[in-house]
């Protein structure tokens, strides 16, 4: 390559970085806008001026109380949960080298569900803030079991083994959950509201319980950006590039457990977000995890908050659980994106 070609290549790389950075800024601006709408929209619509005034000043008005005690915690939790699911999805797809993998493949959602069912049945849990610790414990235990099963034998924890172990553990835990719900109608009545996935009724106590786990999981995820770029090239290529495959998969599994486990414990099993938004981010910025991770962390809460807003206004004076809205609205859009990319690649 000549000197002129090297200079031109460097300029192209810098332009690409500038475009990606600009896109990320626009996505952050969109997230702020959606968050403001989330605070303003509900059973009672509140004007933008009132929202800003309530956020900046402790006025003591009924609108300010609603905004500070209900809508702000709900919106903040939506941002944290959405970002966590997006990051977990990127990690899962990178570790398995499957762009359509879901964080639930490691059995984390099933582990959280099983622990919460046990908590409701035997310990009388009755609120979202009480579910969090049981959900986190169940997610952690399930992830450890899956990793131990997937890393047994020669070759260590390969992507195929982890997925197979996760599928088996999830199936066993799902059977346990169904059995518990069948023998206890009271447990079923309480559990079904959590199982739908919702941001409603979560206060700052719930947010404070999960934020440390989400922050640690996010920190681990971003430190794995470069190793994941080597892992997705395959085991041989990854080793040739100096990546420690076992270490990367272990840390990745830990990050997924923290992110997906805490998010699931707080808001219920919100499917689709961890599958679709990393795919959308990859379509925008390509396979580089240094950009995939921040894009997924910003785009995912935009989808989650938008679905939550739609759930509040689609059936007044009640609302639909955000898990239902995400599935019904997001799935057709995701299918259209997949089909469009297939047609373009044909």
């Amino acid at each position: 390559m000549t000197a002129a070609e090297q200079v031109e290549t460097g300029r192209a790389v810098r332009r690409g970085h500038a475009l990606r950075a600009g896109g990320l800024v626009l996505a952050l601006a969109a997230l702020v806008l959606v968050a403001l709408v989330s605070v303003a929209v509900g059973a009672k619509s509140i004007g933008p001026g009132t929202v800003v005034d309530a956020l900046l000043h402790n006025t003591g008005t009924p609108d300010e109380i609603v905004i500070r005690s209900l809508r702000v915690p709900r919106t903040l939790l939506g941002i944290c949960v959405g970002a966590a699911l997006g990051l977990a999805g990127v990690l899962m797809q990178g570790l398995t080298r499957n762009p359509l993998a879901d964080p639930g493949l490691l059995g984390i959602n099933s582990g959280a569900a099983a622990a919460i069912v046990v908590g409701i049945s035997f310990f009388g849990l009755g609120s979202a803030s009480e579910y969090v610790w049981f959900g986190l414990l169940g997610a952690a235990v399930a992830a450890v079991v899956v990793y131990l099963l997937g890393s047994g034998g020669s070759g260590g924890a390969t992507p195929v083994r982890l997925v197979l172990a996760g599928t088996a553990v999830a199936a066993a835990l799902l059977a346990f959950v169904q059995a518990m719900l069948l023998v206890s109608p009271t447990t079923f009545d309480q559990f079904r509201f959590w199982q739908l996935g919702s941001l409603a009724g979560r206060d700052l106590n719930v947010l404070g319980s999960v934020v440390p786990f989400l922050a640690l999981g996010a920190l681990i995820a971003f430190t794995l950006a470069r190793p994941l770029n080597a892992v997705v090239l395959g085991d041989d290529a990854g080793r040739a590039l100096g990546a420690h495959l076992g270490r990367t998969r272990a840390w990745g599994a830990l990050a997924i457990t923290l992110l997906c486990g805490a998010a699931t414990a707080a808001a219920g099993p919100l499917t689709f977000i961890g599958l679709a938004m990393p795919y959308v981010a990859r379509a925008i910025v390509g396979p580089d995890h240094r950009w995939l991770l921040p894009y997924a962390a910003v785009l995912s809460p935009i989808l989650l908050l938008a679905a939550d807003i739609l759930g509040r206004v689609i059936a007044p004076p009640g609302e639909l659980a955000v898990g239902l809205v995400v599935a019904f609205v997001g799935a057709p859009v995701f299918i259209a994106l997949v089909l469009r990319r297939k047609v373009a690649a044909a």
Side-chain angles (χ1 to χ4, degrees), residues 215-286:
L216 180 58
L219 178 63
I220 296 173
F222 283 111
T223 60
L224 292 176
R226 289 184 180 275
L228 280 174
N229 283 341
V231 169
V232 296
L233 297 176
D235 289 0
D236 293 336
R239 291 190 186 94
L241 292 172
H244 298 278
L245 302 182
R247 184 190 307 170
T248 300
R249 287 172 183 146
W251 281 107
L254 175 60
I256 293 170
T257 301
L258 292 170
L259 292 167
C260 195
T264 301
L270 297 172
T271 58
F272 180 79
I273 294 177
L275 166 66
M277 299 317 293
Y279 182 88
V280 173
R282 190 175 290 103
I284 297 173
V285 298

Side-chain angles (χ1 to χ4, degrees), residues 112-124:
I116 288 174
V117 164
V118 170
I120 294 172
S121 299
F122 298 103
F123 298 95

Side-chain angles (χ1 to χ4, degrees), residues 8-312:
E8 185 60 31
T9 300
R11 289 176 179 172
V13 171
R14 287 192 293 271
R15 283 196 299 268
H17 287 323
L19 287 174
R20 294 185 180 97
L24 188 59
V25 171
L26 290 177
L28 284 169
L31 177 58
V32 172
L33 178 61
V34 173
L36 291 175
V37 174
S38 175
V39 173
V41 172
K44 177 186 178 183
S45 294
I46 301 175
T50 305
V51 170
V52 174
D53 189 54
L55 293 175
L56 297 178
H57 307 98
N58 191 0
T59 60
T61 63
D63 287 344
E64 185 264 340
I65 294 174
V66 169
I67 289 172
R68 285 176 174 256
S69 62
L70 297 177
R71 296 187 183 176
V72 167
R74 180 174 185 164
T75 301
L76 291 176
L77 183 64
I79 293 173
C80 293
V81 168
L85 293 175
L87 290 173
V90 172
L91 291 175
M92 190 66 205
Q93 292 171 9
L95 291 174
T96 62
R97 299 197 293 272
N98 180 0
L100 296 179
D102 183 88
L105 285 177
L106 287 183
I108 294 172
N109 290 351
S110 301
I116 288 174
V117 164
V118 170
I120 294 172
S121 299
F122 298 103
F123 298 95
L125 302 188
S127 66
S129 58
E130 295 174 329
Y131 294 166
V132 167
W133 297 106
F134 273 80
L136 281 169
L137 178 61
V141 171
V144 170
V145 171
V146 168
Y147 191 81
L148 290 176
L149 292 175
S151 59
S154 60
T158 64
V160 174
R161 286 179 176 175
L162 288 174
V163 171
L164 291 175
T167 302
V169 170
L173 291 174
L174 179 60
F176 170 78
V177 169
Q178 295 300 324
M180 293 290 295
L181 297 180
L182 285 174
V183 300
S184 177
T186 303
T187 301
F188 173 76
D189 289 337
Q190 288 186 240
F191 178 77
R192 63 193 178 97
F193 292 106
W194 176 85
Q195 192 177 31
L196 289 174
S198 177
L199 300 176
R202 274 65 169 175
D203 56 18
L204 288 176
N205 291 328
V206 175
L207 182 64
S209 298
V210 299
V211 160
F213 300 98
L214 297 177
L216 180 58
L219 178 63
I220 296 173
F222 283 111
T223 60
L224 292 176
R226 289 184 180 275
L228 280 174
N229 283 341
V231 169
V232 296
L233 297 176
D235 289 0
D236 293 336
R239 291 190 186 94
L241 292 172
H244 298 278
L245 302 182
R247 184 190 307 170
T248 300
R249 287 172 183 146
W251 281 107
L254 175 60
I256 293 170
T257 301
L258 292 170
L259 292 167
C260 195
T264 301
L270 297 172
T271 58
F272 180 79
I273 294 177
L275 166 66
M277 299 317 293
Y279 182 88
V280 173
R282 190 175 290 103
I284 297 173
V285 298
D288 189 344
H289 286 81
R290 293 173 298 177
W291 290 103
L292 265 179
L293 288 165
Y295 262 83
V298 175
L299 294 177
S300 298
I302 292 176
L303 173 62
L304 183 58
L305 289 181
D308 190 44
I309 294 168
L310 183 59
R312 294 184 227 172

